[in-house]
Amino acid sequence: MKIGDKVSWATPQGRTHGRIVEKKTTSFQLAKQKFTASEDEPKYVVESDKTGARAAHAPSALRVLDS
C-alpha cells in the first residue's frame, strides 16, 4: 500500500472508500484518539471520498481497490 491508493474499509454503516493520504510509522494522535505505529506495524491515514473525514487504520483493515 502507498499514498494515493484508493482503498475501502468497514464502518458501522457498511463499507466506505477513499484514499490513503499518509503512512505513519511512529505513534500519533488523530481526532483526539491516540494510535501506536511503528516501521513493522504502520498505520495508514485515509480520507473518505464521501465526507472528507480522516481516520487511521492498520493495513489489515484496508482493501486496495482498482484505480
Side-chain angles (χ1 to χ4, degrees), residues 21-34:
V21 294
E22 199 171 352
K23 177 182 179 180
K24 297 282 197 175
T25 55
T26 59
S27 296
F28 64 101
Q29 188 168 331
L30 179 68
K32 298 181 182 178
Q33 190 173 5
K34 292 183 181 181

Side-chain angles (χ1 to χ4, degrees), residues 15-51:
R15 291 201 74 80
T16 192
H17 52 86
R19 295 198 180 274
I20 295 174
V21 294
E22 199 171 352
K23 177 182 179 180
K24 297 282 197 175
T25 55
T26 59
S27 296
F28 64 101
Q29 188 168 331
L30 179 68
K32 298 181 182 178
Q33 190 173 5
K34 292 183 181 181
F35 294 90
T36 302
S38 66
E39 287 288 339
D40 293 333
E41 294 184 26
K43 296 287 190 283
Y44 289 92
V45 178
V46 295
E47 185 173 280
S48 168
D49 286 343
K50 185 176 181 180
T51 65

Side-chain angles (χ1 to χ4, degrees), residues 9-16 55 57:
W9 61 93
T11 70
Q13 296 79 27
R15 291 201 74 80
T16 192
H57 294 287

Side-chain angles (χ1 to χ4, degrees), residues 1 6-10 15-16 18 58-66:
M1 283 183 227
K6 188 165 180 66
V7 293
S8 71
W9 61 93
R15 291 201 74 80
T16 192
S60 60
L62 301 172
R63 291 186 197 163
V64 177
L65 304 173
D66 293 333

